[in-house]
PDB file of all heavy atoms in Angstrom:
ATOM      1  N   PHE L 108       4.453  -6.111   1.124  1.00 91.00           N
ATOM      2  CA  PHE L 108       4.791  -7.462   1.560  1.00 91.00           C
ATOM      3  C   PHE L 108       5.342  -8.260   0.381  1.00 91.00           C
ATOM      4  O   PHE L 108       5.056  -7.970  -0.776  1.00 91.00           O
ATOM      5  CB  PHE L 108       3.568  -8.179   2.155  1.00 91.00           C
ATOM      6  CG  PHE L 108       2.464  -8.431   1.172  1.00 91.00           C
ATOM      7  CD1 PHE L 108       2.356  -9.652   0.534  1.00 91.00           C
ATOM      8  CD2 PHE L 108       1.535  -7.450   0.882  1.00 91.00           C
ATOM      9  CE1 PHE L 108       1.344  -9.896  -0.380  1.00 91.00           C
ATOM     10  CE2 PHE L 108       0.515  -7.677  -0.031  1.00 91.00           C
ATOM     11  CZ  PHE L 108       0.422  -8.898  -0.669  1.00 91.00           C
ATOM     12  N   GLY L 109       6.145  -9.272   0.715  1.00 90.00           N
ATOM     13  CA  GLY L 109       6.732 -10.116  -0.321  1.00 90.00           C
ATOM     14  C   GLY L 109       7.059 -11.494   0.210  1.00 90.00           C
ATOM     15  O   GLY L 109       8.222 -11.839   0.374  1.00 90.00           O
ATOM     16  N   VAL L 110       6.024 -12.256   0.518  1.00 91.00           N
ATOM     17  CA  VAL L 110       6.219 -13.611   1.036  1.00 91.00           C
ATOM     18  C   VAL L 110       5.401 -14.598   0.213  1.00 91.00           C
ATOM     19  O   VAL L 110       4.334 -14.247  -0.286  1.00 91.00           O
ATOM     20  CB  VAL L 110       5.805 -13.730   2.523  1.00 91.00           C
ATOM     21  CG1 VAL L 110       6.714 -12.933   3.408  1.00 91.00           C
ATOM     22  CG2 VAL L 110       4.368 -13.315   2.726  1.00 91.00           C
ATOM     23  N   PRO L 111       5.882 -15.829   0.051  1.00 91.00           N
ATOM     24  CA  PRO L 111       5.034 -16.855  -0.559  1.00 91.00           C
ATOM     25  C   PRO L 111       3.773 -17.045   0.278  1.00 91.00           C
ATOM     26  O   PRO L 111       3.808 -16.894   1.505  1.00 91.00           O
ATOM     27  CB  PRO L 111       5.917 -18.111  -0.524  1.00 91.00           C
ATOM     28  CG  PRO L 111       7.317 -17.593  -0.410  1.00 91.00           C
ATOM     29  CD  PRO L 111       7.223 -16.328   0.371  1.00 91.00           C
ATOM     30  N   PHE L 112       2.676 -17.375  -0.360  1.00 92.00           N
ATOM     31  CA  PHE L 112       1.398 -17.454   0.345  1.00 92.00           C
ATOM     32  C   PHE L 112       1.448 -18.487   1.476  1.00 92.00           C
ATOM     33  O   PHE L 112       0.825 -18.294   2.521  1.00 92.00           O
ATOM     34  CB  PHE L 112       0.265 -17.796  -0.625  1.00 92.00           C
ATOM     35  CG  PHE L 112      -1.096 -17.564  -0.037  1.00 92.00           C
ATOM     36  CD1 PHE L 112      -1.638 -16.294   0.016  1.00 92.00           C
ATOM     37  CD2 PHE L 112      -1.827 -18.618   0.481  1.00 92.00           C
ATOM     38  CE1 PHE L 112      -2.880 -16.065   0.575  1.00 92.00           C
ATOM     39  CE2 PHE L 112      -3.083 -18.400   1.042  1.00 92.00           C
ATOM     40  CZ  PHE L 112      -3.606 -17.127   1.086  1.00 92.00           C
ATOM     41  N   GLY L 113       2.197 -19.554   1.300  1.00 90.00           N
ATOM     42  CA  GLY L 113       2.309 -20.578   2.338  1.00 90.00           C
ATOM     43  C   GLY L 113       2.950 -20.067   3.617  1.00 90.00           C
ATOM     44  O   GLY L 113       2.748 -20.638   4.691  1.00 90.00           O
ATOM     45  N   ASN L 114       3.741 -18.994   3.539  1.00 91.00           N
ATOM     46  CA  ASN L 114       4.413 -18.420   4.715  1.00 91.00           C
ATOM     47  C   ASN L 114       3.678 -17.212   5.284  1.00 91.00           C
ATOM     48  O   ASN L 114       4.183 -16.568   6.204  1.00 91.00           O
ATOM     49  CB  ASN L 114       5.840 -17.991   4.359  1.00 91.00           C
ATOM     50  CG  ASN L 114       6.703 -19.155   3.927  1.00 91.00           C
ATOM     51  OD1 ASN L 114       6.347 -20.302   4.142  1.00 91.00           O
ATOM     52  ND2 ASN L 114       7.830 -18.868   3.302  1.00 91.00           N
ATOM     53  N   LEU L 115       2.500 -16.900   4.741  1.00 92.00           N
ATOM     54  CA  LEU L 115       1.820 -15.661   5.128  1.00 92.00           C
ATOM     55  C   LEU L 115       1.369 -15.678   6.585  1.00 92.00           C
ATOM     56  O   LEU L 115       1.486 -14.671   7.289  1.00 92.00           O
ATOM     57  CB  LEU L 115       0.636 -15.398   4.199  1.00 92.00           C
ATOM     58  CG  LEU L 115      -0.008 -14.016   4.298  1.00 92.00           C
ATOM     59  CD1 LEU L 115       1.013 -12.910   4.058  1.00 92.00           C
ATOM     60  CD2 LEU L 115      -1.157 -13.879   3.319  1.00 92.00           C
ATOM     61  N   LYS L 116       0.857 -16.806   7.070  1.00 93.00           N
ATOM     62  CA  LYS L 116       0.409 -16.884   8.467  1.00 93.00           C
ATOM     63  C   LYS L 116       1.586 -16.662   9.420  1.00 93.00           C
ATOM     64  O   LYS L 116       1.464 -15.948  10.417  1.00 93.00           O
ATOM     65  CB  LYS L 116      -0.250 -18.237   8.741  1.00 93.00           C
ATOM     66  CG  LYS L 116      -1.724 -18.305   8.351  1.00 93.00           C
ATOM     67  CD  LYS L 116      -2.327 -19.627   8.757  1.00 93.00           C
ATOM     68  CE  LYS L 116      -3.831 -19.637   8.550  1.00 93.00           C
ATOM     69  NZ  LYS L 116      -4.552 -18.863   9.555  1.00 93.00           N
ATOM     70  N   GLN L 117       2.722 -17.262   9.107  1.00 92.00           N
ATOM     71  CA  GLN L 117       3.928 -17.080   9.924  1.00 92.00           C
ATOM     72  C   GLN L 117       4.365 -15.613   9.887  1.00 92.00           C
ATOM     73  O   GLN L 117       4.768 -15.044  10.905  1.00 92.00           O
ATOM     74  CB  GLN L 117       5.036 -17.982   9.384  1.00 92.00           C
ATOM     75  CG  GLN L 117       6.329 -17.921  10.156  1.00 92.00           C
ATOM     76  CD  GLN L 117       7.447 -18.704   9.476  1.00 92.00           C
ATOM     77  OE1 GLN L 117       7.229 -19.422   8.515  1.00 92.00           O
ATOM     78  NE2 GLN L 117       8.661 -18.540   9.975  1.00 92.00           N
ATOM     79  N   PHE L 118       4.270 -14.994   8.715  1.00 91.00           N
ATOM     80  CA  PHE L 118       4.641 -13.589   8.540  1.00 91.00           C
ATOM     81  C   PHE L 118       3.746 -12.680   9.384  1.00 91.00           C
ATOM     82  O   PHE L 118       4.219 -11.748  10.036  1.00 91.00           O
ATOM     83  CB  PHE L 118       4.523 -13.235   7.055  1.00 91.00           C
ATOM     84  CG  PHE L 118       4.699 -11.788   6.728  1.00 91.00           C
ATOM     85  CD1 PHE L 118       5.948 -11.190   6.753  1.00 91.00           C
ATOM     86  CD2 PHE L 118       3.607 -10.999   6.379  1.00 91.00           C
ATOM     87  CE1 PHE L 118       6.117  -9.847   6.447  1.00 91.00           C
ATOM     88  CE2 PHE L 118       3.759  -9.661   6.067  1.00 91.00           C
ATOM     89  CZ  PHE L 118       5.018  -9.089   6.107  1.00 91.00           C
ATOM     90  N   LEU L 119       2.436 -12.965   9.403  1.00 92.00           N
ATOM     91  CA  LEU L 119       1.495 -12.125  10.152  1.00 92.00           C
ATOM     92  C   LEU L 119       1.646 -12.304  11.657  1.00 92.00           C
ATOM     93  O   LEU L 119       1.283 -11.415  12.430  1.00 92.00           O
ATOM     94  CB  LEU L 119       0.057 -12.440   9.728  1.00 92.00           C
ATOM     95  CG  LEU L 119      -0.315 -12.059   8.297  1.00 92.00           C
ATOM     96  CD1 LEU L 119      -1.705 -12.554   7.940  1.00 92.00           C
ATOM     97  CD2 LEU L 119      -0.224 -10.551   8.091  1.00 92.00           C
ATOM     98  N   ALA L 120       2.166 -13.443  12.099  1.00 91.00           N
ATOM     99  CA  ALA L 120       2.361 -13.685  13.535  1.00 91.00           C
ATOM    100  C   ALA L 120       3.539 -12.891  14.091  1.00 91.00           C
ATOM    101  O   ALA L 120       3.654 -12.720  15.308  1.00 91.00           O
ATOM    102  CB  ALA L 120       2.564 -15.176  13.787  1.00 91.00           C
ATOM    103  N   MET L 121       4.400 -12.376  13.222  1.00 88.00           N
ATOM    104  CA  MET L 121       5.587 -11.625  13.664  1.00 88.00           C
ATOM    105  C   MET L 121       5.255 -10.149  13.855  1.00 88.00           C
ATOM    106  O   MET L 121       4.299  -9.636  13.278  1.00 88.00           O
ATOM    107  CB  MET L 121       6.703 -11.732  12.621  1.00 88.00           C
ATOM    108  CG  MET L 121       7.205 -13.119  12.376  1.00 88.00           C
ATOM    109  SD  MET L 121       8.448 -13.109  11.051  1.00 88.00           S
ATOM    110  CE  MET L 121       8.908 -14.817  11.005  1.00 88.00           C
ATOM    111  N   ASN L 122       6.097  -9.466  14.651  1.00 82.00           N
ATOM    112  CA  ASN L 122       5.985  -8.011  14.727  1.00 82.00           C
ATOM    113  C   ASN L 122       6.890  -7.386  13.660  1.00 82.00           C
ATOM    114  O   ASN L 122       7.619  -8.095  12.960  1.00 82.00           O
ATOM    115  CB  ASN L 122       6.335  -7.494  16.137  1.00 82.00           C
ATOM    116  CG  ASN L 122       7.754  -7.844  16.561  1.00 82.00           C
ATOM    117  OD1 ASN L 122       8.666  -7.866  15.733  1.00 82.00           O
ATOM    118  ND2 ASN L 122       7.946  -8.131  17.839  1.00 82.00           N
ATOM    119  N   GLY L 123       6.834  -6.077  13.539  1.00 75.00           N
ATOM    120  CA  GLY L 123       7.562  -5.385  12.478  1.00 75.00           C
ATOM    121  C   GLY L 123       9.056  -5.646  12.491  1.00 75.00           C
ATOM    122  O   GLY L 123       9.674  -5.843  11.450  1.00 75.00           O
ATOM    123  N   GLU L 124       9.652  -5.664  13.684  1.00 78.00           N
ATOM    124  CA  GLU L 124      11.098  -5.869  13.794  1.00 78.00           C
ATOM    125  C   GLU L 124      11.487  -7.292  13.387  1.00 78.00           C
ATOM    126  O   GLU L 124      12.482  -7.505  12.694  1.00 78.00           O
ATOM    127  CB  GLU L 124      11.536  -5.595  15.233  1.00 78.00           C
ATOM    128  CG  GLU L 124      13.033  -5.542  15.415  1.00 78.00           C
ATOM    129  CD  GLU L 124      13.449  -5.215  16.848  1.00 78.00           C
ATOM    130  OE1 GLU L 124      12.597  -4.681  17.596  1.00 78.00           O
ATOM    131  OE2 GLU L 124      14.587  -5.511  17.197  1.00 78.00           O
ATOM    132  N   GLN L 125      10.675  -8.257  13.802  1.00 80.00           N
ATOM    133  CA  GLN L 125      10.956  -9.653  13.448  1.00 80.00           C
ATOM    134  C   GLN L 125      10.849  -9.871  11.938  1.00 80.00           C
ATOM    135  O   GLN L 125      11.631 -10.628  11.357  1.00 80.00           O
ATOM    136  CB  GLN L 125       9.979 -10.585  14.171  1.00 80.00           C
ATOM    137  CG  GLN L 125      10.212 -10.682  15.669  1.00 80.00           C
ATOM    138  CD  GLN L 125       9.097 -11.443  16.371  1.00 80.00           C
ATOM    139  OE1 GLN L 125       7.943 -11.410  15.951  1.00 80.00           O
ATOM    140  NE2 GLN L 125       9.444 -12.122  17.452  1.00 80.00           N
ATOM    141  N   ARG L 126       9.865  -9.213  11.312  1.00 79.00           N
ATOM    142  CA  ARG L 126       9.689  -9.372   9.867  1.00 79.00           C
ATOM    143  C   ARG L 126      10.907  -8.892   9.098  1.00 79.00           C
ATOM    144  O   ARG L 126      11.312  -9.496   8.109  1.00 79.00           O
ATOM    145  CB  ARG L 126       8.453  -8.588   9.407  1.00 79.00           C
ATOM    146  CG  ARG L 126       7.146  -9.208   9.827  1.00 79.00           C
ATOM    147  CD  ARG L 126       5.991  -8.296   9.498  1.00 79.00           C
ATOM    148  NE  ARG L 126       4.770  -8.765  10.142  1.00 79.00           N
ATOM    149  CZ  ARG L 126       3.718  -8.015  10.350  1.00 79.00           C
ATOM    150  NH1 ARG L 126       3.715  -6.752   9.961  1.00 79.00           N
ATOM    151  NH2 ARG L 126       2.650  -8.511  10.930  1.00 79.00           N
ATOM    152  N   SER L 127      11.488  -7.781   9.547  1.00 74.00           N
ATOM    153  CA  SER L 127      12.636  -7.237   8.820  1.00 74.00           C
ATOM    154  C   SER L 127      13.900  -8.063   9.032  1.00 74.00           C
ATOM    155  O   SER L 127      14.763  -8.123   8.163  1.00 74.00           O
ATOM    156  CB  SER L 127      12.888  -5.780   9.241  1.00 74.00           C
ATOM    157  OG  SER L 127      13.138  -5.715  10.632  1.00 74.00           O
ATOM    158  N   LYS L 128      14.020  -8.741  10.178  1.00 76.00           N
ATOM    159  CA  LYS L 128      15.232  -9.497  10.484  1.00 76.00           C
ATOM    160  C   LYS L 128      15.159 -10.967  10.080  1.00 76.00           C
ATOM    161  O   LYS L 128      16.173 -11.618   9.931  1.00 76.00           O
ATOM    162  CB  LYS L 128      15.524  -9.408  11.985  1.00 76.00           C
ATOM    163  CG  LYS L 128      15.998  -8.047  12.440  1.00 76.00           C
ATOM    164  CD  LYS L 128      16.294  -8.047  13.914  1.00 76.00           C
ATOM    165  CE  LYS L 128      16.799  -6.690  14.379  1.00 76.00           C
ATOM    166  NZ  LYS L 128      17.034  -6.654  15.834  1.00 76.00           N
TER     167      LYS L 128
END
Side-chain angles (χ1 to χ4, degrees):
F108 65 96
V110 293
F112 194 80
N114 298 345
L115 191 57
K116 276 185 172 285
Q117 181 187 351
F118 173 74
L119 293 174
M121 298 177 178
N122 60 35
E124 190 178 341
Q125 290 171 328
R126 288 173 192 160
S127 59
K128 289 181 179 177

